[in-house]
């Protein structure tokens, strides 16, 4: 029998090594619940405070009280006061979790000297958010040099801190991901900056299905190695690429769901986060309540599909981002806690949960604590992280 086991170890050694290398597991870091995109020419030291103030003003004007917001969003009565109070506190304390300075579609094509100046100016500002970074232009031929120049100017001037990430848009090939790795390696050596990470933005059908019939996004994740931290879905570029009429382009269109299903499969077990896209229906003018209800529903829909992050494009979307997220965790906490207690040997829950489900339950509670939806002394975050299989922090 020992000879058989030795032979099995020999035969499976390469497969074991590949599994460990390609599926590294959770990175041990918090995932932001949203990413806010701000055009580079509108970003400065006041941006985060201004977004928080505008979001609170929108909540006051169109949400009023907890009862008013509950009526607009159809919040369950038992959670209305708690959710409202937590949303207001969040807008005061941390209105933006992840901020991306946008040099791509939100910024557009500008004269080189203008974008140079914007990149240098942006590098001087620490937004003070837990996560931040910039979105450069794509590495496709027409914008390649501009993308690298903007990134170089920014890195030359900036102080890179934890939580910094670069967004690479409109990725169409594995070779572009490999090229991005080369760019980052070169700039790290040239300017002595810490190891750089990036997100792949899925905005083209080529990322989902290559000409050879394979799911290129999985190969992109592998090509980027541990530098790739996220896959971000681009609602409108992707929908338009498939010929979806403008009126029907949405985060919940079937083509969007298919793309995100493939993204989730590609990212599973790799430690790469998946983010949903945005809605371009803004809560402004006479349509605030309708836009809020839509945004609230879309955020809830993403959460139930295990996509825990999305884009926000306007300050007045923050109240519904946080309200939808907090309600999701508040509604689910009691049952999750009961099942965790039972799994740990304290009482009955009516469920026979296996280790994988216990890990999901712990991750649910931990995510709720991290975003401010849950306060609990029953479970400590270290224990939850271990149970959720994300106890080892990222280097």
């Amino acid at each position: 029998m020992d000879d058989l086991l030795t032979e099995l170890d020999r035969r499976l050694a390469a497969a074991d090594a590949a599994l460990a290398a390609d599926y590294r597991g959770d990175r041990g870091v918090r995932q932001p619940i949203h990413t806010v995109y701000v055009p580079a020419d509108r970003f400065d030291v006041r941006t985060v405070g201004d977004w928080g103030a505008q979001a609170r003003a929108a909540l006051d004007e169109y949400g009023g009280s907890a009862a008013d917001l509950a009526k607009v969003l159809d919040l369950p009565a038992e959670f209305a006061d708690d959710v409202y109070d937590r949303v207001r506190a969040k807008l005061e304390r941390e209105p933006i979790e992840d901020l991306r300075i946008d040099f791509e579609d939100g910024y557009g094509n500008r004269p080189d000297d203008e974008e140079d100046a914007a990149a240098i100016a942006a590098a001087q500002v620490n937004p003070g958010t837990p996560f931040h970074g910039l979105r450069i232009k794509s590495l496709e031929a027409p914008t390649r040099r501009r993308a690298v120049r903007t990134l170089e100017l920014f890195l030359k001037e900036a102080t890179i801190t934890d939580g910094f990430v670069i967004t690479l848009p409109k990725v169409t090939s594995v070779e572009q991901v490999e090229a991005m790795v080369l760019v980052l390696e070169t700039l790290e050596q040239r300017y002595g900056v810490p190891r750089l990470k990036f997100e792949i933005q899925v905005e083209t059908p080529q990322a989902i299905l290559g000409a050879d019939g394979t799911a290129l996004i999985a190969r992109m994740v592998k090509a980027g190695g541990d530098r790739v931290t996220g896959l971000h879905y681009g609602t409108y570029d992707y929908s338009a690429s498939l010929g979806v009429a403008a009126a029907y382009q949405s985060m919940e269109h079937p083509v969007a769901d298919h793309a995100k299903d493939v993204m989730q499969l590609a990212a599973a077990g790799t430690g790469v986060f998946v983010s949903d896209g945005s809605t371009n229906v803004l809560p402004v003018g006479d349509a605030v309540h309708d836009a809020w209800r839509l945004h609230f529903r879309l955020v809830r829909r993403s959460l139930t599909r295990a996509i825990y992050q999305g884009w926000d494009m306007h300050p007045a979307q923050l109240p519904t981002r946080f309200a939808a997220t907090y309600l999701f965790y508040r509604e689910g906490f009691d049952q999750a806690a009961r099942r965790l207690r039972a799994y740990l040997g304290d009482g009955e829950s009516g469920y026979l949960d296996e280790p994988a489900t216990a890990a999901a339950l712990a991750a649910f509670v931990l995510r709720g604590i991290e975003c401010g939806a849950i306060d609990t002394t029953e479970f400590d975050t270290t224990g939850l992280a271990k149970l959720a299989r994300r106890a080892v922090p990222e280097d």
Side-chain angles (χ1 to χ4, degrees):
M1 186 59 69
D2 287 345
D3 290 345
L4 172 60
L5 294 176
T6 299
E7 177 62 14
L8 290 179
D9 287 341
R10 186 190 69 78
R11 290 191 180 200
L12 295 175
D16 291 342
L19 183 66
D22 295 339
Y23 298 95
R24 300 178 296 275
D26 197 292
R27 288 181 287 127
V29 296
R30 165 188 171 190
Q31 181 179 8
I33 68 171
H34 69 163
T35 299
V36 164
Y37 280 77
V38 177
D41 58 331
R42 300 181 197 171
F43 170 74
D44 59 32
V45 70
R46 300 181 299 273
T47 296
V48 175
D50 287 348
W51 270 63
Q54 291 176 57
R56 293 192 298 273
L59 182 61
D60 289 340
E61 182 174 356
Y62 299 103
S65 65
D68 294 330
L69 188 65
K71 184 176 181 180
V72 172
L73 300 179
D74 195 25
L75 301 178
E78 64 267 34
F79 296 108
D81 288 341
D82 181 70
V83 167
Y84 182 88
D85 291 344
R86 288 176 185 273
V87 169
R88 177 161 285 283
K90 180 75 166 182
L91 294 175
E92 291 277 359
R93 180 183 73 254
E94 192 180 72
I96 297 176
E97 292 196 358
D98 184 26
L99 186 142
R100 202 67 73 249
I101 308 162
D102 190 14
F103 285 92
E104 207 234 352
D105 283 348
Y107 182 75
N109 296 317
R110 312 287 184 94
D112 281 340
D113 59 347
E114 189 174 333
E115 185 160 339
D116 288 351
I120 294 169
Q124 310 301 318
V125 179
N126 180 350
T129 53
F131 307 92
H132 69 285
L134 70 161
R135 178 167 71 167
I136 60 174
K137 290 178 170 62
S138 80
L139 290 185
E140 293 178 339
T143 55
R144 184 177 302 149
R145 285 171 172 74
R146 182 64 259 181
V148 175
R149 179 175 176 82
T150 296
L151 181 57
E152 180 178 18
L153 288 171
F154 183 93
L155 293 176
K156 185 178 180 180
E157 301 291 334
T159 300
I160 303 303
T161 57
D162 290 342
F164 178 80
V165 65
I166 302 151
T167 304
L168 180 65
K170 296 180 175 58
V171 181
T172 56
S173 67
V174 176
E175 288 79 8
Q176 286 183 0
V177 173
E178 294 170 341
M180 185 63 172
V181 171
L182 175 61
V183 169
L184 299 186
E185 290 173 345
T186 302
L187 294 178
E188 287 167 357
Q189 294 172 7
R190 182 171 299 173
Y191 297 109
V193 297
R195 186 173 175 82
L196 298 167
K197 307 294 180 70
F198 68 103
E199 304 158 338
I200 297 171
Q201 198 150 23
V202 178
E203 300 178 275
T204 68
Q206 291 86 355
I208 298 298
L209 186 68
D212 61 356
T214 63
L216 291 192
I217 191 61
R219 292 170 54 196
M220 290 175 184
V221 170
K222 182 177 175 64
D226 66 355
R227 289 184 184 272
V228 175
T229 62
L231 304 177
H232 285 226
Y233 178 66
T235 307
Y236 299 98
D237 281 277
Y238 188 87
S239 299
S241 295
L242 269 69
V244 179
Y248 299 97
Q249 294 174 5
S250 167
M251 294 161 58
E252 57 186 343
H253 192 282
V255 302
D257 286 341
H258 172 261
K260 288 177 285 188
D261 286 345
V262 175
M263 290 163 61
Q264 285 180 282
L265 285 168
T270 66
V272 172
F273 295 143
V274 174
S275 174
D276 212 329
S278 62
T279 174
N280 61 2
V281 181
L282 300 181
V284 296
D286 296 331
V288 171
H289 285 171
D290 287 341
W292 267 5
R293 282 187 282 266
L294 174 64
H295 187 240
F296 180 86
R297 180 174 62 77
L298 290 173
V299 173
R300 290 274 294 181
R301 184 178 189 272
S302 296
L303 290 168
T304 61
R305 292 175 62 88
I307 302 178
Y308 300 106
Q309 184 178 354
W311 298 7
D312 290 323
M313 314 300 287
H314 191 278
Q317 289 180 327
L318 300 185
T320 39
R321 168 68 60 182
F322 296 132
T325 302
Y326 288 174
L327 181 61
F328 176 75
Y329 289 110
R330 296 303 298 164
E331 283 186 319
F333 174 66
D334 286 346
Q335 185 187 92
R338 185 167 61 253
R339 291 172 68 173
L340 278 174
R341 284 193 295 268
Y343 179 80
L344 296 171
D346 182 14
E348 298 289 337
S349 68
Y351 291 84
L352 183 61
D353 287 320
E354 297 184 353
T357 303
L361 290 166
F364 175 90
V365 175
L366 190 55
R367 286 178 183 276
I369 292 171
E370 288 171 337
C371 73
I374 295 171
D375 299 314
T376 180
T377 58
E378 181 177 0
F379 304 103
D380 67 274
T381 55
T382 301
L384 287 170
K386 290 180 179 178
L387 192 55
R389 304 171 181 172
R390 65 175 229 184
V392 180
E394 188 181 38
D395 293 333

